[in-house]
Amino acid sequence: MTILTTQVPEHLAGMRLDQCLAEVFPDYSRSKLQTWIKAGRVTVNGAQLRGRDKLDGGEIIALDAEADVVIEDAAEDIPLDIIHEDDSLIIINKPAGLVVHPAVGNWHGTLVNALLAHAPHLNTLPRAGIVHRLDKDTSGLLMIAKTQQAHTSLVEQLQERSIEREYLALVKGWMTAGGTVDEPIGRHPVDRKRNAVRRDGKEAVTHYRLERRFKRHTLIRVQLETGRTHQIRVHMTHIGYPLVGDLTYGGRFQMPADCNPELAAAFRSFRRQALHAARLGLEHPETGDYHEWQQPMPDDMQHLIALLAANEHELDHT
């Protein structure tokens, strides 16, 4: 048990308890502090108060900051493609096929297992410091907090929508222009493993712009305001441009017309959604400076796009 105590500064007199806690315990998120207040893990002069109760200044606050979850996943020596690492955070380039969190059917060989081998102290942080996720078959940049302060900062930046997340996606269909999809997302009414646009879902906003067009496909750049599960895949399918390789949301595979044999073989062997987290920008949790990282598409996506271009060149000269 970790009991933290502090005296309410006089300049915070008249402030609500939940607001005061955010000031005097900045290493913890507001949502976490609210949860601890409701759970009775915060006392003021020995008494439990509500988050909205105001303080007079000078009171003694005691906070039981014991970690709620202790990760018991095994450390496994799995190679990591580390793009950046310092005392506060790690930026990795996740390959397609790597599961982020252990779960039913994937208890081993995950990113969490790899991180615990690389930095064992991450077992004291929620989800081993991972503050957002990428689907198993999505590649690209992912951030991991190395301290509680960094974790709180990154979570709050996500909530404030100040983190820049840009993806490259190859979709079916010839887009005429970029745009924004502002449609709520929730669980699919029939298939609980999928999500769908639903009136009663959570807010989800996706911006996209054209990067390169082919006759039957478009490479787009996508920016997320929100981070709902499968958001890009759901939104692009909703507007009629499902991702190449996405059997969950794009339906059964149909070979595009006019493919040369090499392109046809590449389509058949492409076993994932064509989605890559290409750019990540954030305010450094310790210094406050803005940092940005970029990562090119992996070989499988680059190969498929090169074959699309070559196939169209052939068609234009026949």
Side-chain angles (χ1 to χ4, degrees):
M1 180 179 297
T2 301
I3 303 296
L4 304 176
T5 61
T6 189
Q7 186 171 23
V8 179
E10 293 299 330
H11 72 273
L12 298 184
M15 183 175 286
R16 291 166 47 123
L17 172 60
D18 52 4
Q19 296 171 334
C20 179
L21 287 178
E23 294 289 332
V24 297
F25 296 115
D27 286 350
Y28 301 101
S29 68
R30 292 176 184 267
S31 60
K32 175 65 70 178
L33 293 169
Q34 287 277 12
T35 299
W36 285 342
I37 292 172
K38 294 175 182 177
R41 289 165 64 170
V42 177
T43 61
V44 179
N45 288 343
Q48 293 181 9
L49 301 182
R50 298 166 301 180
R52 65 176 180 269
D53 290 336
K54 294 185 178 181
L55 303 178
D56 297 324
E59 297 97 330
I60 301 298
I61 294 179
L63 168 65
D64 175 4
E66 182 180 4
D68 290 321
V69 178
V70 176
I71 294 175
E72 298 179 352
D73 299 302
E76 298 179 27
D77 187 14
I78 300 170
L80 290 171
D81 184 4
I82 297 175
I83 305 302
H84 169 85
E85 182 173 11
D86 57 37
D87 292 339
S88 297
L89 54 82
I90 305 171
I91 306 296
I92 71 159
N93 179 34
K94 187 188 87 66
L98 179 63
V99 175
V100 173
H101 299 292
V104 176
N106 290 288
W107 293 115
H108 301 286
T110 71
L111 176 59
V112 166
N113 300 119
L115 287 170
L116 293 179
H118 176 74
H121 78 278
L122 293 177
N123 67 353
T124 64
L125 296 177
R127 295 179 176 269
I130 298 171
V131 295
H132 70 133
R133 55 163 291 181
L134 296 176
D135 295 335
K136 173 185 176 181
D137 290 327
T138 298
S139 59
L141 295 168
L142 192 70
M143 58 186 171
I144 298 98
K146 292 181 69 176
T147 67
Q148 183 62 58
Q149 178 185 354
H151 188 274
T152 298
S153 172
L154 294 176
V155 168
E156 290 184 346
Q157 289 183 59
L158 281 170
Q159 292 172 343
E160 295 166 358
R161 305 183 183 182
S162 61
I163 288 181
E164 296 284 341
R165 289 175 292 167
E166 185 175 83
Y167 296 73
L168 285 167
L170 183 65
V171 301
K172 301 176 186 177
W174 195 82
M175 282 189 175
T176 57
T180 295
V181 185
D182 186 352
E183 296 285 355
I185 290 177
R187 287 290 184 188
H188 192 281
V190 177
D191 186 350
R192 305 301 292 174
K193 294 182 179 180
R194 299 169 59 199
N195 284 341
V197 168
R198 297 180 52 139
R199 184 176 300 177
D200 60 349
K202 295 182 179 179
E203 180 189 16
V205 181
T206 303
H207 306 284
Y208 63 96
R209 68 181 190 271
L210 307 186
E211 181 75 8
R212 186 173 183 181
R213 286 189 291 189
F214 304 96
K215 291 182 179 179
R216 294 181 178 85
H217 299 85
T218 308
L219 180 65
I220 58 174
R221 285 192 178 270
V222 183
Q223 282 191 299
L224 293 180
E225 271 195 40
T226 53
R228 308 302 173 204
T229 301
H230 300 169
Q231 179 173 322
I232 295 173
R233 299 164 66 189
V234 171
H235 272 172
M236 290 301 105
T237 298
H238 178 71
I239 63 173
Y241 297 96
L243 272 63
V244 168
D246 191 350
L247 299 182
T248 300
Y249 293 100
R252 294 180 60 184
F253 172 72
Q254 292 182 330
M255 184 65 66
D258 301 326
C259 284
N260 64 29
E262 190 176 10
L263 178 58
F267 272 122
R268 291 192 188 96
S269 64
F270 199 87
R271 301 292 186 179
R272 70 177 183 100
Q273 63 268 5
L275 184 62
H276 173 70
R279 184 170 68 88
L280 179 64
L282 54 86
E283 182 181 287
H284 194 279
E286 185 174 346
T287 67
D289 296 333
Y290 181 78
H291 291 263
E292 183 175 291
W293 297 269
Q294 298 191 45
Q295 192 67 25
M297 289 183 293
D299 291 343
D300 60 348
M301 284 184 66
Q302 292 196 40
H303 180 62
L304 187 57
I305 289 168
L307 290 179
L308 275 169
N311 185 73
E312 296 200 355
H313 180 75
E314 288 180 12
L315 293 174
D316 289 339
H317 290 81
T318 56

